[in-house]
Amino acid sequence: MEPQQRDAVTGPGAQAGATDPQAGTGTAAAETGWKGTLALSYPPSGPDGYYTQMQHDFIGEIAVAAARKGYDLLLSPGNHADDASFQRLLGERRAAGVIIMETRIPEDDRIEALTEAGFPFVTIGYTTQSDRSSWVKLDFAAMAGACVRYLADLGHRRIAFVNRPEGLFKTGYESAVLGLEGFTGALTELGLGGQAYMCEDDAASGEACLEQILRDDAATTAIVTMNEAALGGVYLGLTRAGRAVPRDFSLVGVAAGRWAEQATPKLTAADVPAREQSQVAVDLLVERLTSPDAPLRRVVLTSLLSVRASTGPCRPLPETEPGPGDLRGLEDLGDLEF
């Protein structure tokens, strides 16, 4: 029997009965324990329905930010509006307001459901429905493009892109879709060659992806990655292939600063400001609850590239000969629908 996903309430001020499904439903619940609770709609993206370690970091940051505002945090793992967890949150009004993460583009059905129900919410991320709420987002396209331009300045001419899992991409997962747009746009602008790869969120998949990259194009000298969870496997694959970082191969990515610092060598990255995003999201939601008639607010966060030890000047291997720039392999992604 598959384990059931359950909602979780975290926070030092959790009220008695707040985690009890029988504590109340509908308006009664909203008027009791759930009044001091914010909900986080955050589907797990790791293998087999688990949260990745990076997702755990975000959950922790949001829980701390909520507690500082006097709220507990309820975690709902529902991925779609019709998932049981999300339906409990919505139907029983289990929180005063909702933060939506892992938004999908062009549209996210959770946003539609909350709008129709008149349920206060904000999003971490952007969709075409973002005129309906306050939100905070990162410009993933710009960040991925900046990674490519930095590698080009170092002389790299054949660059691979390690993206998130194909299943997430097909659902319109914001960072995966916009990251790919930024990567391909920068390659075209600069006349570079490269291919893009979908990769599952684990080290074994990262190693397999690296092996495929080198089989497809042994002249590749650099990688831009959006996949923190696969990074350890990419490093291991390079070591087994005899490619020293950064002497023979450069790595740069969009990643949380803590994870970039823990990599060996430390990863040059556009650091994801998880703490700042979390604090802004909680602030925006509390504003909606305390001043519902105030104008909506939209916050775009930027992240400068932190140069660390994983990047260096291009040093092509003697047996490889980089060819003219092309987008070979990227055209196959045009058939994916979301």
Side-chain angles (χ1 to χ4, degrees), residues 104-170:
R104 298 183 296 273
I105 54 178
E107 295 185 349
D108 191 311
D109 60 359
R110 294 172 296 171
I111 292 176
E112 189 70 32
L114 290 168
T115 301
E116 291 181 357
F119 206 132
F121 71 95
V122 301
T123 67
I124 296 180
Y126 177 83
T127 76
T128 57
Q129 306 148 293
S130 290
D131 59 339
R132 305 180 185 183
S133 69
S134 295
W135 49 256
V136 54
K137 74 165 188 172
L138 290 176
D139 191 338
F140 288 107
M143 293 164 75
C147 292
V148 173
R149 293 182 182 89
Y150 174 70
L151 290 170
D153 288 343
L154 292 173
H156 295 278
R157 293 294 176 264
R158 303 195 71 80
I159 303 169
F161 183 57
V162 178
N163 204 345
R164 301 299 301 282
E166 184 175 351
L168 292 180
F169 182 88
K170 285 183 173 179

Side-chain angles (χ1 to χ4, degrees), residues 32 43 89-90 94 131 176 228 257-258 269 307:
T32 55
L89 168 64
L90 192 66
R94 289 188 165 197
D131 59 339
E228 297 167 310
R258 182 168 76 87
V307 178

Side-chain angles (χ1 to χ4, degrees), residues 202-222:
D202 60 81
S205 297
E207 184 177 1
C209 185
L210 186 278
E211 293 171 354
Q212 186 63 52
I213 288 169
L214 297 183
R215 281 196 300 268
D216 291 345
D217 186 357
T220 301
T221 60

Side-chain angles (χ1 to χ4, degrees), residues 13 45 65 137 176 186 238 248 270-271 279:
S45 64
K137 74 165 188 172
L238 286 168
D248 306 317
D271 295 341
Q279 291 175 343

Side-chain angles (χ1 to χ4, degrees), residues 11-321:
Q15 301 180 29
T19 59
D20 181 3
Q22 305 304 320
T25 60
T27 303
E31 293 175 352
T32 55
W34 306 114
K35 185 176 180 181
T37 301
L38 304 181
L40 174 62
S41 177
Y42 197 10
S45 64
D48 301 320
Y50 286 92
Y51 287 98
T52 66
Q53 187 57 55
M54 286 65 72
Q55 287 186 306
H56 280 291
D57 286 353
F58 257 111
I59 293 168
E61 293 290 357
I62 293 173
V64 169
R68 287 174 175 169
K69 292 288 187 179
Y71 290 89
D72 301 322
L73 183 70
L74 181 143
L75 175 62
S76 172
N79 192 37
H80 294 282
D82 58 359
D83 287 348
S85 173
F86 193 84
Q87 283 296 306
R88 287 193 297 271
L89 168 64
L90 192 66
E92 299 174 14
R93 209 77 176 189
R94 289 188 165 197
V98 183
I99 297 170
I100 295 180
M101 286 196 70
E102 310 293 36
T103 54
R104 298 183 296 273
I105 54 178
E107 295 185 349
D108 191 311
D109 60 359
R110 294 172 296 171
I111 292 176
E112 189 70 32
L114 290 168
T115 301
E116 291 181 357
F119 206 132
F121 71 95
V122 301
T123 67
I124 296 180
Y126 177 83
T127 76
T128 57
Q129 306 148 293
S130 290
D131 59 339
R132 305 180 185 183
S133 69
S134 295
W135 49 256
V136 54
K137 74 165 188 172
L138 290 176
D139 191 338
F140 288 107
M143 293 164 75
C147 292
V148 173
R149 293 182 182 89
Y150 174 70
L151 290 170
D153 288 343
L154 292 173
H156 295 278
R157 293 294 176 264
R158 303 195 71 80
I159 303 169
F161 183 57
V162 178
N163 204 345
R164 301 299 301 282
E166 184 175 351
L168 292 180
F169 182 88
K170 285 183 173 179
T171 64
Y173 190 78
E174 181 201 17
S175 63
V177 174
L178 296 183
L180 179 61
E181 288 182 5
F183 174 76
T184 56
L187 286 189
T188 301
E189 173 191 331
L190 299 172
L192 305 179
Q195 299 188 56
Y197 298 81
M198 301 298 172
C199 181
E200 295 299 316
D201 288 334
D202 60 81
S205 297
E207 184 177 1
C209 185
L210 186 278
E211 293 171 354
Q212 186 63 52
I213 288 169
L214 297 183
R215 281 196 300 268
D216 291 345
D217 186 357
T220 301
T221 60
I223 284 175
V224 175
T225 179
M226 297 285 295
N227 195 322
E228 297 167 310
L231 185 60
V234 173
Y235 272 107
L236 180 59
L238 286 168
T239 298
R240 289 180 172 172
R243 304 285 184 98
V245 178
R247 186 193 67 192
D248 306 317
F249 207 97
S250 288
L251 288 171
V252 61
V254 176
R258 182 168 76 87
W259 292 96
E261 289 284 345
Q262 290 178 354
T264 305
K266 294 181 179 180
L267 181 70
T268 294
D271 295 341
V272 174
R275 178 165 297 176
E276 186 176 4
Q277 277 186 286
S278 301
Q279 291 175 343
V280 171
V282 170
D283 288 345
L284 292 176
L285 183 54
V286 172
E287 285 180 13
R288 301 312 305 156
L289 298 176
T290 57
S291 303
D293 296 326
L296 299 176
R297 286 208 299 139
R298 285 74 187 257
V299 180
V300 180
L301 299 179
T302 58
S303 178
L304 298 177
L305 200 65
S306 297
V307 178
R308 299 186 178 93
S310 67
T311 47
C314 179
R315 181 177 176 269
L317 296 178
E319 66 272 18
T320 64
E321 186 66 30

